[in-house]
């Protein structure tokens, strides 16, 4: 199953425009709340320059990047946790994603209605985060009411839920708690919203001063913030290369977005190369050679013997396999070898 990223935010902040830009799809964009009712789903290839370099060197017939699923979730409003603006339905869509991209409106365009009448991305961020907290508080309260203590495991779950409830009442999100891996596994089935990793995307109009205060706030809160002038970027995609060159336009580098997605989800990329196809693969950072083989094909995982591997950074310096081999950069590894970011595997 592909990784799912949910675009979350108030209505009319540019989620659908961002969705179109990232997935190259055309969906309804309208100047009124709840233009998106059912989630729009699209596929976004992850930008990795090294994939193109490898494919060019190998003269591959096919180049296949890693992809993620982007879900454009309808705008939430204040009171969503209590059902306002179809909130419960929209919150349930967020439960299905692995990572939240919180889109914040920083552009001042008067023609586009803002549900709160004024532009204040910090207020908007706190509004949505409070709704996620309130939704989790409802969820943990219901869980505690249903929980019957039959054994030590159930008792442990009750203690964790009580801790979560206490902190949520103080507006402290679950991902801010110092829970062990075992404790996180116990509450995994509850699918709480505030356990999910999150980053902020500042949708600004092209004037960087629009995001200065948000930038300071994000730094103070230790939140990842990525700026993107979505409307401007989308408009520029319609120009010819010559026209872009004439006005000196350079698109925003989306590599930081790829890197942030991998970092927050604790994923890594490895590569398979050859004349037929050069491909990048996305997998959990702790995955072994055997598990990576299973991503390619179950038979390779089942009948695994060994892995021949060298790293992209070494390839950049030496390029030819015979030179890599002479330098001892190509190795044979067993099934339990932890494949590293940028490994080229056979």
């Amino acid at each position: 199953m592909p990784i799912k990223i949910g675009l979350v935010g108030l209505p009319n902040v540019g989620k659908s425009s961002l969705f179109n830009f990232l997935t190259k799809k055309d969906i309804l964009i309208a100047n009124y709340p709840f233009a998106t009712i059912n989630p729009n789903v699209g596929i976004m290839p992850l930008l990795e320059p090294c994939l193109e370099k490898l494919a060019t060197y190998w003269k591959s017939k096919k180049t296949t990047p890693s992809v993620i699923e982007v879900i454009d979730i309808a705008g939430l409003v204040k009171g969503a946790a209590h059902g306002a603006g179809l909130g419960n339905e929209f919150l349930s869509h967020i439960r299905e994603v692995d990572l939240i991209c919180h889109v914040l409106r920083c552009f001042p365009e008067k023609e586009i209605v803002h549900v709160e009448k004024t532009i204040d991305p910090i207020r908007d961020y706190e509004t949505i985060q409070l709704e996620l907290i309130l939704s989790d508080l409802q969820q943990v309260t219901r869980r505690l009411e249903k929980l019957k203590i039959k054994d030590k495991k159930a008792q442990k779950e009750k203690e964790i839920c009580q801790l979560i409830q206490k902190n949520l009442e103080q507006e402290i999100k679950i991902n801010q708690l110092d829970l062990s891996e075992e404790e996180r596994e116990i509450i995994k089935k509850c699918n709480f919203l505030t356990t999910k990793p999150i980053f902020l995307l500042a949708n600004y109009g092209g004037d960087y001063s629009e995001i200065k205060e948000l930038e300071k706030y994000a730094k103070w809160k230790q939140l990842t913030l990525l700026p993107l002038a979505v409307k401007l970027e989308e408009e520029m995609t319609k120009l010819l290369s010559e026209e872009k060159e004439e006005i000196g336009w350079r698109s925003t580098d989306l590599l930081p977005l790829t890197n942030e997605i991998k970092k927050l989800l604790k994923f890594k990329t490895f590569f398979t190369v050859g004349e037929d196809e050069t491909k990048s693969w996305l997998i959990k950072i702790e995955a072994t050679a055997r598990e990576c083989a299973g991503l390619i094909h179950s038979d390779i995982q089942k009948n695994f013997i060994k892995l021949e591997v060298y790293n992209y950074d070494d390839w950049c310096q030496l390029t030819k396999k015979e030179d890599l081999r002479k330098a001892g950069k190509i190795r044979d590894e067993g099934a339990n070898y932890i494949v590293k970011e940028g490994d080229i595997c056979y």
Side-chain angles (χ1 to χ4, degrees):
M1 293 292 288
I3 295 164
K4 293 180 172 65
I5 294 186
L7 307 182
V8 170
L10 292 172
N12 290 353
V13 296
K15 296 187 305 300
S16 295
S17 296
L18 175 63
F19 175 87
N20 284 347
F21 176 67
L22 295 178
T23 64
K24 311 304 179 203
K25 288 181 81 169
D26 290 317
I27 57 170
L28 172 66
I29 297 171
N31 184 17
Y32 55 87
F34 313 119
T36 305
I37 301 297
N38 297 313
N40 295 299
V41 180
I43 296 296
M44 169 189 165
L46 288 183
L47 179 69
E48 290 170 302
C50 42
L51 178 69
E52 296 300 324
K53 290 178 184 176
L54 287 166
T56 300
Y57 175 77
W58 285 92
K59 297 177 181 167
S60 304
K61 294 171 189 170
K62 188 178 177 185
T63 305
T64 309
S66 302
V67 296
I68 55 172
E69 203 168 84
V70 180
I71 303 172
D72 175 24
I73 296 167
L76 295 167
V77 293
K78 191 183 289 184
H82 299 291
L86 302 177
N88 289 326
E89 184 181 344
F90 298 162
L91 285 163
S92 71
H93 296 151
I94 304 172
R95 294 195 192 282
E96 306 306 314
V97 306
D98 303 297
L99 174 65
I100 294 172
C101 169
H102 190 160
V103 184
L104 294 163
R105 176 175 170 177
C106 302
F107 61 88
E109 202 168 329
K110 291 179 182 177
E111 291 76 19
I112 298 177
V113 179
H114 192 295
V115 291
E116 295 292 341
K117 311 302 181 191
T118 56
I119 307 301
D120 186 343
I122 295 172
R123 174 204 60 205
D124 296 350
Y125 166 76
E126 290 177 346
T127 295
I128 296 297
Q129 291 308 302
L130 181 58
E131 294 307 319
L132 301 186
I133 286 169
L134 290 173
S135 180
D136 277 356
L137 189 54
Q138 290 176 2
Q139 179 113 332
V140 76
T141 302
R142 286 195 295 267
R143 182 62 189 157
L144 281 166
E145 286 169 358
K146 291 178 181 177
L147 204 55
K148 294 177 182 177
I149 308 303
K150 297 177 181 177
D151 52 30
K152 285 183 179 179
K153 189 176 178 182
Q155 178 61 38
K156 180 71 174 172
E157 184 182 350
K158 181 183 177 182
E159 289 168 7
I160 300 166
C161 285
Q162 286 173 332
L163 174 69
I164 286 170
Q165 185 183 49
K166 182 181 176 182
N167 280 277
L168 288 171
E169 286 170 348
Q170 296 172 56
E171 297 185 14
I172 298 169
K173 294 180 283 186
I174 300 168
N175 58 17
Q176 292 176 279
L177 304 180
D178 188 22
L179 299 179
S180 67
E181 282 301 316
E182 182 193 358
E183 289 169 330
R184 290 185 184 280
E185 195 58 39
I186 289 171
I187 61 164
K188 192 175 180 180
K189 59 180 175 287
C190 297
N191 208 4
F192 291 119
L193 297 172
T194 64
T195 58
K196 298 180 186 296
I198 183 170
F199 68 94
L200 313 185
L201 190 136
N203 183 10
Y204 72 112
D207 181 352
Y208 208 78
S209 64
E210 294 166 4
I211 68 168
K212 284 291 183 185
E213 288 305 311
L214 180 59
E215 206 170 41
K216 288 178 195 171
Y217 177 85
K219 193 173 181 181
W220 173 54
K221 287 281 190 178
Q222 297 182 310
L223 295 163
T224 299
L225 175 68
L226 297 173
L228 189 66
V230 178
K231 186 179 178 183
L232 190 57
E233 291 283 353
E234 240 195 332
E235 286 172 353
M236 289 299 147
T237 60
K238 296 167 187 172
L239 297 183
L240 298 171
S241 300
E242 297 80 19
E243 292 173 315
K244 290 179 188 175
E245 197 174 323
E246 193 177 322
I247 62 173
W249 171 256
R250 288 184 67 186
S251 294
T252 301
D253 183 6
L254 292 180
L255 185 58
L257 176 61
T258 295
N259 292 337
E260 198 56 42
I261 288 167
K262 286 161 65 174
K263 178 184 168 187
L264 288 168
L265 290 170
K266 297 178 181 174
F267 269 68
K268 64 189 171 190
T269 299
F270 71 94
F271 303 97
T272 51
V273 298
E275 289 182 8
D276 288 333
E277 183 181 28
T278 290
K279 183 168 182 174
S280 72
W281 303 84
L282 205 56
I283 197 165
K284 281 287 185 185
I285 208 156
E286 69 274 10
T288 63
R290 187 188 292 278
E291 289 167 328
C292 290
L295 195 63
I296 298 166
H297 200 288
S298 57
D299 285 350
I300 305 176
Q301 183 175 27
K302 184 181 174 184
N303 301 302
F304 189 95
I305 299 170
K306 66 176 182 178
L307 169 73
E308 183 183 89
V309 60
Y310 52 100
N311 196 268
Y312 176 78
D313 289 340
D314 294 326
W315 176 81
C316 283
Q317 291 179 24
L318 298 169
T319 309
K320 292 182 180 178
K321 284 192 81 173
E322 52 264 36
D323 293 337
L324 285 159
R325 207 176 290 280
K326 281 178 190 173
K329 299 298 183 182
I330 295 181
R331 310 178 313 280
D332 287 343
E333 298 285 358
N336 295 323
Y337 166 72
I338 304 295
V339 171
K340 294 179 177 60
E341 170 71 27
D343 272 356
I344 300 164
C345 302
Y346 177 71

